[in-house]
Amino acid sequence: IYNALVAGARNTISVGLACATAGIIAGVVTMTGLGQDLVNIIHGIAGNNLFFGLVLTMVACIILGMGVPTTANYVIMATTCAQILIKMDVVPIAAHMFVFYFGIVADITPPVALAAYAGSAIAKSNPIKTGVNATKLAIAAFIVPYVCVFSPALLLVETTIPEVALIVVTACLGMFSVAVGMEGFLLAKVHVVLRLISVGAGLLLIMPGLVTDFIGLALFAGVFAVQMIARRRTSAA
């Protein structure tokens, strides 16, 4: 018990330093009114381009969400960044989900990746490398909030059961396809060209619309078929 307490105290030093640094940044943003200015700046830069506005809002959420506890995280995101998307005619519940999601994702994105710091303290690994690997493994999850914005039906807003079922299936397949492309492995090691096709197929599956869904599904099916053929040849050899 004594050794566990000593090890715990030592391992929390790095996490405490990260929290202190992030707290200074969050305090400056909230106390100086920079949050409201941020809304006007991003809305002015993005204009009517929703996707560009989402990307800028994502970056702002990750910065503002550094080292902030969950409840406080949502309060900060809802009072600052959510207003950016609502001004761009995004469904309010989708806007709040988007900003809250990326505010929490700040826990795994360097340089202030508190979850990665805590995990690296347990594993005795490099905190920055742990954060980079965590971000790489979760790269497919970065797409989920975009799906919520472009397909509010996923949040059960003004939709039907068949529509929700279709969106859930295609979104899951799309995330899986993107993960295959990022990691480079399905049934066996995936060639670079097939990895790019897999990422493209995943993005098409995630985008709302039957045409993009069919194209994405066909591309991913092609990648899967090539993998099956390669695996059978390897087994035969």
Side-chain angles (χ1 to χ4, degrees):
I1 293 174
Y2 173 77
N3 291 335
L5 292 172
V6 171
R10 288 175 177 169
N11 291 337
T12 54
I13 293 175
S14 59
V15 179
L17 290 174
C19 287
T21 306
I24 294 172
I25 297 173
V28 169
V29 170
T30 54
M31 296 299 290
T32 59
L34 181 60
Q36 186 58 42
D37 293 336
L38 192 66
V39 174
N40 299 327
I41 292 170
I42 292 179
H43 187 262
I45 294 174
N48 295 324
N49 192 322
L50 179 57
F51 182 77
F52 190 40
L54 290 174
V55 173
L56 293 176
T57 305
M58 175 189 72
V59 174
C61 290
I62 291 175
I63 294 173
L64 295 177
M66 293 188 304
V68 182
T70 304
T71 306
N73 196 313
Y74 175 66
V75 172
I76 295 173
M77 297 303 120
T79 55
T80 55
C81 298
Q83 306 307 315
I84 302 171
L85 302 183
I86 292 175
K87 277 188 175 182
M88 301 182 76
D89 297 327
V90 175
V91 177
I93 189 172
H96 282 255
M97 178 64 73
F98 185 92
V99 298
F100 180 51
Y101 192 106
F102 279 115
I104 296 301
V105 163
D107 284 341
I108 63 170
T109 52
V112 185
L114 292 186
Y117 271 71
S120 67
I122 296 171
K124 294 181 175 56
S125 61
N126 184 295
I128 298 299
K129 288 183 179 180
T130 303
V132 171
N133 283 326
T135 304
K136 181 181 176 182
L137 291 172
I139 196 69
F142 278 68
I143 302 170
V144 172
Y146 289 88
V147 180
C148 294
V149 171
F150 288 111
S151 301
L154 193 63
L155 300 174
L156 308 181
V157 178
E158 299 178 358
T159 186
T160 60
I161 294 177
E163 187 179 1
V164 172
L166 177 63
I167 292 173
V168 169
V169 171
T170 54
C172 289
L173 282 174
M175 289 183 61
F176 181 75
S177 182
V178 172
V180 168
M182 295 300 298
E183 293 301 314
F185 191 90
L186 183 56
L187 300 175
K189 189 175 180 180
V190 182
H191 190 270
V192 175
V193 176
L194 293 180
R195 290 177 64 175
L196 294 174
I197 294 174
S198 184
V199 171
L203 295 176
L204 288 172
L205 283 166
I206 290 169
M207 290 175 61
L210 290 175
V211 175
T212 55
D213 288 343
F214 279 122
I215 296 174
L217 185 61
L219 290 174
F220 183 69
V223 173
F224 188 80
V226 172
Q227 284 278 288
M228 285 289 293
I229 294 172
R231 187 177 182 181
R232 288 179 180 176
R233 287 178 179 176
T234 303
S235 298

